[in-house]
Amino acid sequence: MPTTPDAVLTVVAPGEGDVVPIPGFGAILKLTSMTTGGLVSIVEHPFPVGAITAAHRHTREDEHSYVLTGEIGFRSDDDEVVLGPGGVITKPRGQLHAMWNAGREPGRILEVITPGNGFENYFRELGELLTSGVSGSRPGGPLHESAEFAELAAKYGLTYATPDWLDDVVRRYGLSPATH
């Protein structure tokens, strides 16, 4: 099996990882691009009841989500599904997507990002931006209109949008939009 010269043996025990505080969301970095030679990043995301990510599009990487606990809803372009523990979905680059807690208990997913490209650093920088005093904390609100947020999104090849389907998803599941 081929390996990359930059990959190193990495062990992350249960409950370990680099915790990145993101208000209303969160990220636990399990594997980084640095430790995998750029092949993959693995990030765990807790989903509090009522949480939904902002609708966004990646231009450089694909996301593969594995549901660990709870019921998590996914919308990628015109496709929508709710998955329970063990469910997996791939959200290809270029598709506008969002994820939400579709149940009545906290949920968690493991996000496998390919290629790694250092994308896990987006979560670090987003957490710093949100705790730095930049105003706004909801999609379409002042944060998404700020120059700092636009610069961060562009740096990581992300675009954000408010698709026609977002209000319907928020209403059907009684959600509170987040900032991711």
Side-chain angles (χ1 to χ4, degrees):
M1 179 169 167
T3 61
T4 86
D6 296 331
V8 297
L9 174 66
T10 305
V11 176
V12 181
E16 292 183 346
D18 186 7
V19 177
V20 177
I22 300 172
F25 193 56
I28 303 165
L29 308 183
K30 296 292 191 174
L31 288 179
T32 65
S33 300
M34 185 180 299
T35 59
T36 68
L39 294 176
V40 65
S41 298
I42 299 181
V43 179
E44 182 179 331
H45 290 296
F47 274 83
V49 173
I52 182 171
T53 65
H56 61 283
R57 179 180 290 112
H58 298 262
T59 60
R60 302 177 189 151
E61 54 278 317
D62 303 311
E63 286 183 317
H64 316 274
S65 300
Y66 179 88
V67 178
L68 297 168
T69 61
E71 294 180 47
I72 306 298
F74 300 89
R75 175 80 185 232
S76 192
D77 280 348
D78 293 330
D79 298 309
E80 183 178 316
V81 66
V82 174
L83 297 172
V88 177
I89 185 172
T90 293
K91 297 159 324 261
R93 70 190 80 186
Q95 288 194 2
L96 185 64
H97 63 276
M99 303 163 284
W100 62 91
N101 185 324
R104 298 180 186 265
E105 64 183 59
R108 290 182 308 125
I109 66 170
L110 205 57
E111 196 88 306
V112 179
I113 303 162
T114 58
N117 291 341
F119 185 78
E120 69 277 3
N121 293 312
Y122 169 75
F123 299 110
R124 292 183 211 271
E125 293 184 44
L126 178 61
E128 291 169 8
L129 180 62
L130 290 172
T131 58
S132 72
V134 173
S135 66
S137 61
R138 61 179 184 76
L143 174 65
H144 284 157
E145 295 167 3
S146 75
E148 296 91 346
F149 184 82
E151 184 179 310
L152 178 62
K155 177 179 178 180
Y156 288 97
L158 289 174
T159 57
Y160 283 82
T162 304
D164 294 341
W165 48 260
L166 186 62
D167 286 342
D168 178 58
V169 167
V170 167
R171 180 190 51 75
R172 281 190 286 131
Y173 291 94
L175 305 172
S176 302
T179 56
H180 161 252

